[in-house]
Amino acid sequence: MTVPRRASSLHGLLFLSGLCGLGFQVVWTRWFGFSLGHEMAGVMGVVGAFFLGLALGAWAFDGRIARSRRPGLWYVGLEVAIGAWALATLLLLPRVDELAAGWLGPAPSPLLHGLVATLLPAALLFPATMAMGATLPAMERFAASRHGDGKARLIGGLYAANTAGAMVGTLGITFLVLPALGFRSTTMTLALLNFACAAAGLALGAREPVELDEAAGAPEPSAEAVGPWGSALFATGFLGIAFETIGIRMLTQILENTIYTFAVVLSVYLAGTALGAAIYQRWLKNRPARETSATLLSILSVCCLAGIGCLSFARPIHMAIGEERGFGAAILSEGVLGAILFFAPAIAMGATFAALAQAYREQHGRSGRGLGRAFAINTLGSALAPSLCGWLLVPAIGLQWAIVAVAVGYLLLAWLLGGARSIGVLSTCLILLGWIGSSNSSLVALDQGEEVLSRQDGAMATVTVTKRPRGIRTLRVDNHFRMGGTQSAFLERRQGAIPLLLHPDPKRELFLGLGTGTTLSSVKMFDDVEADGVELVREVIDVLPMFTSVNLDVAGHPDVTLTAADARRFVRGSGREYDVIVADLFQPARDGAGTLYTVEHFRAVRNALRDGGLFCQWLPLYQMDTETSATIVASFLEAFPDSQAFLGGFSPEAPAMGLVGSTGPLRVDAAALDARMNAEPLHSGLVELAMTDPIDVLGCRVAGTAALAVWAGTTTSVRNTDDRPVVMFEAPHFVYRQRGRPWETLIDWLAGLDASPASELAMSSEVAGQVDAYVSARDEYLRGRVAYAEGREEDALDHYVASVARSKDFTVGYQQVTNIANVPMRTSRAKLLEAVKEIARLRPDLGDLRELQWQLRE
């Protein structure tokens, strides 16, 4: 009974090894994203380096492990090497970040970017990743000796345990460990777990010698001796990761695309793979290899096609389970959709790999010899898949047909192995292909009357332009994220104009994030201004001509340069200095966007400013809760101790607040600003933005430095850093929980901020008094808009009237009352008449309201 118990314990060790390996992959991939960027070349370079290390280690150590009389000690040594080198990376990563920034510059070519993004991580991580690649063959040899039969077929069970550990690691690291500890402490924790695995291996008899089989001293097989099983392993490795990569891209058209989304979907994929390998180990390991592999590949092809077809029902399922029901329900919904697409194919993939690896090993006729090489060949195929699919296949034929091509590839591979002889399999595939072809391939959720004008499946994202009635155009990235449109042009252009007006003489600007280009187009109102625009997704730049009615064809402006690049990497690598830098509304819950709100990024932006320069980071308050916004403010103040906050507009349905930081205290010369605003061509452009007076600009101010510091300090002491990007983990909770009140965070800000007089901007007391009155009226108006949206029309009227009373410069409340008088309303006409009379009494200068009063009396 002792031997089986030991063998079972070794499965547990391999489970922990899988957990650590996946944990390290998550940490390292995201850490390198800080310096290498989030473009396809950067992301795929890191993934490719990781897979190449696994493949090289499995291949290089396979023969040595097979010829060793103590394979258990190999396993122990490999675990120690992984943990030790992981700790070393903590010291080496900062230096690698500096090298990457220097070598890449602001806008490297895809070739240079891909080379640097592959070679740098490869050089740093190879000692650890090579050791990871060899742990499976070492454990297989060790476990076989503990099992009592050196030729026991254990590959399926061990692979299942290792993959199950990776699945648990995906969820545990993402949901629990990283949010609690951050990247550095997580790395140290995983390294300690590697050391614990090594110690457990010693306790389970790793020092005990084993007998070598008769073929152990035979010559090494030649490198060319890959054979049909090796070719099948390479092909299935490529097709499996291709299906995963493209499938996740398809799901991004439906799901929230947070860090939790990808963890849940990947865990479903890994769980299916582990289950498939376990099924092979339990019921299929003694069946003929060629027949079994061909049958599994045929089933795999059918499952892939069926999963694609079932995505037609994905959106209703997602809404039924997770829409507005909280974090847990939303995560469950994403897991269900991941299972619809991935679970059945992944089961077949796990069983297929176990069958092919077992056959490859036995083809070489050695106990233990061949498993490492089988794993290496399969992993090499996996390493090539993301880049080739991202750069070539998806842009060429689109997401839907790219994933169909993968399914057809499985069917062809089954046929080459001698399977798929049944006409039933081929007929089933043809039926599924027809179903897919007739389904809604775009996965774009259109509103009533909305149509798709353009759709581009790019290397990184799917970019769609839609048109609604009255010619309203909207830009979507991955369908779920609306990046502006013609309807929001007024607010978007104001968000570009306000920071440019706050600087006394802007000559060179940088805009991080383009959207429709409307915010960037504000530079055309200013003379002698040069601007750089940076956008991560190249296809967003490609569709800018479809929004020329609102972006004023800014892409064709001779003084505007557009670059497809990662914003963080561009700021660090450009070597340029700017008078004004404006950062767009980055959705904080979106995976990766939280890194644009870290202390380190804000400091890099400050270093890119000229003396007297300013930086404006716009925050989408409607997409974050109060705690997240306060965390960002606290992080911003670490880099910009002298900061102010401004509203982009007075819309509670989509409130945007700009954090304005400067290299020194922000001071505004109201007289100079007035002169600038009344000079052409600036004046004509500002008239369209309802900003004709300095009060209209300064009245957007929400808070000064002292008030922001008090607000951030009393709400949270956490800072969003590269090591602990808490926004990445906290912001999704707001997106997942019940929504419907986009003004919630705005109202919290207005209620919680201490008085912050405009005199902090060193203006005259007269102007400061006007601004303070304007701000007071503005806040009353916003509370009225919220009351009206919540169905409290009479309260709304009281707020509107109060706003009119508080400032002679703020007339929006008066306009809102007149608008209400001309539309059906649930409140009594008597109440409305009372409000109009009061406004007429308070402000006789606003115009003759007698006709409106007569209309209300009728």
Side-chain angles (χ1 to χ4, degrees), residues 525-690:
M525 298 188 296
F526 295 79
D527 287 327
D528 303 323
V529 172
E530 296 181 4
D532 292 331
V534 178
E535 171 57 48
L536 178 63
V537 180
R538 181 175 297 276
E539 287 73 23
V540 169
I541 298 177
D542 294 340
V543 300
L544 288 181
M546 303 188 72
F547 294 92
T548 53
S549 63
V550 292
N551 66 31
L552 311 179
D553 194 23
V554 69
H557 194 283
D559 293 327
V560 173
T561 303
L562 304 182
T563 304
D566 177 84
R568 281 182 55 117
R569 193 179 48 72
F570 185 93
V571 168
R572 293 182 61 192
S574 69
R576 304 170 190 172
E577 292 186 335
Y578 298 91
D579 297 307
V580 176
I581 300 177
V582 180
D584 202 0
L585 300 166
F586 303 123
Q587 217 282 33
R590 188 179 186 186
D591 192 23
T595 62
L596 294 170
Y597 295 118
T598 64
V599 172
E600 290 83 356
H601 174 57
F602 290 149
R603 286 173 176 163
V605 170
R606 183 185 176 99
N607 292 335
L609 290 174
R610 294 171 175 169
D611 288 341
L614 62 84
F615 170 49
C616 179
Q617 173 66 70
W618 289 104
L619 304 182
L621 296 184
Y622 54 94
Q623 293 176 332
M624 62 178 69
D625 57 19
T626 303
E627 289 74 19
T628 298
S629 64
T631 295
I632 295 173
V633 170
S635 305
F636 192 87
L637 290 173
E638 289 286 318
F640 294 95
D642 297 297
S643 298
Q644 306 284 324
F646 288 78
L647 287 177
F650 309 143
S651 168
E653 287 79 14
M657 186 177 72
L659 299 177
V660 179
S662 51
T663 56
L666 182 64
R667 298 292 182 259
V668 177
D669 185 333
L673 178 58
D674 185 50
R676 290 175 59 205
M677 295 178 68
N678 283 287
E680 296 294 347
L682 182 56
H683 179 73
S684 297
L686 292 177
V687 168
E688 297 180 7
L689 302 181

Side-chain angles (χ1 to χ4, degrees), residues 227-443:
W229 298 117
S231 300
L233 281 164
F234 178 86
T236 52
F238 178 89
L239 293 172
I241 299 301
F243 184 79
E244 177 193 357
T245 302
I246 303 169
I248 289 177
R249 278 286 309 276
M250 293 185 74
L251 288 175
T252 60
Q253 309 303 300
I254 305 168
L255 306 181
E256 294 289 352
N257 303 337
T258 70
I259 188 172
Y260 301 117
T261 300
F262 296 105
V264 169
V265 173
L266 179 58
S267 68
V268 169
Y269 180 89
L270 293 171
T273 305
L275 179 59
I279 290 173
Y280 173 83
Q281 180 68 28
R282 178 66 178 83
W283 288 292
L284 303 177
K285 65 180 181 180
N286 294 317
R287 297 178 63 86
R290 184 175 293 272
E291 177 183 339
T292 301
S293 300
T295 300
L296 288 171
L297 287 167
S298 300
I299 294 172
L300 179 51
S301 178
V302 174
C303 289
C304 289
L305 291 172
I308 305 166
C310 288
L311 285 184
S312 301
F313 309 108
R315 194 173 302 280
I317 293 173
H318 179 50
M319 295 183 67
I321 299 176
E323 187 71 8
E324 299 186 357
R325 294 189 183 179
F327 183 79
I331 293 298
L332 174 62
S333 172
E334 295 187 333
V336 169
L337 294 195
I340 288 174
L341 179 60
F342 284 130
F343 195 61
I347 291 174
M349 289 178 194
T352 301
F353 171 79
L356 294 175
Q358 189 74 57
Y360 182 90
R361 190 198 106 169
E362 292 179 356
Q363 183 187 44
H364 287 260
R366 302 176 180 195
S367 176
R369 179 66 56 81
L371 175 57
R373 297 187 178 185
F375 182 69
I377 294 169
N378 184 260
T379 304
L380 181 61
S382 301
L384 297 176
S387 295
L388 291 179
C389 289
W391 286 117
L392 300 176
L393 192 60
V394 170
I397 62 177
L399 286 172
Q400 187 106 358
W401 294 110
I403 207 166
V404 167
V406 171
V408 172
Y410 278 121
L411 188 61
L412 291 175
L413 188 59
W415 178 76
L416 290 174
L417 286 177
R421 292 184 292 269
S422 170
I423 192 66
V425 173
L426 183 58
S427 300
T428 301
C429 291
L430 291 174
I431 292 171
L432 289 171
L433 280 171
W435 179 26
I436 293 166
S438 62
S439 65
N440 179 15
S441 61
S442 70
L443 296 175

Side-chain angles (χ1 to χ4, degrees), residues 106 117 132 151 167 188 192 197 251 256 338 475 482 491 510 518 603 624 633 638 644 734 751 757 762 779 813 822 830:
M132 290 179 190
K151 297 184 179 180
M167 182 269 292
M188 289 187 280
L192 291 176
C197 287
L251 288 175
E256 294 289 352
L475 172 65
R482 303 196 179 197
L491 294 176
L510 171 63
T518 307
R603 286 173 176 163
M624 62 178 69
V633 170
E638 289 286 318
Q644 306 284 324
F734 177 77
D779 292 351
N822 293 310

Side-chain angles (χ1 to χ4, degrees), residues 67-83:
R67 293 191 299 273
S68 173
R69 292 181 58 83
R70 289 181 173 82
L73 284 182
W74 270 94
Y75 172 78
V76 169
L78 292 169
E79 291 290 352
V80 171
I82 295 169

Side-chain angles (χ1 to χ4, degrees), residues 36 39-46 103-119 387 390-392 459-460 536 538-539 563-565 569:
L36 298 176
E39 299 98 321
M40 177 61 71
V43 174
M44 292 302 103
V46 178
W103 290 351
L104 291 174
S109 67
L111 178 60
L112 174 62
H113 198 171
L115 286 174
V116 173
T118 301
L119 296 179
S387 295
W391 286 117
L392 300 176
M460 295 193 60
L536 178 63
R538 181 175 297 276
E539 287 73 23
T563 304
R569 193 179 48 72

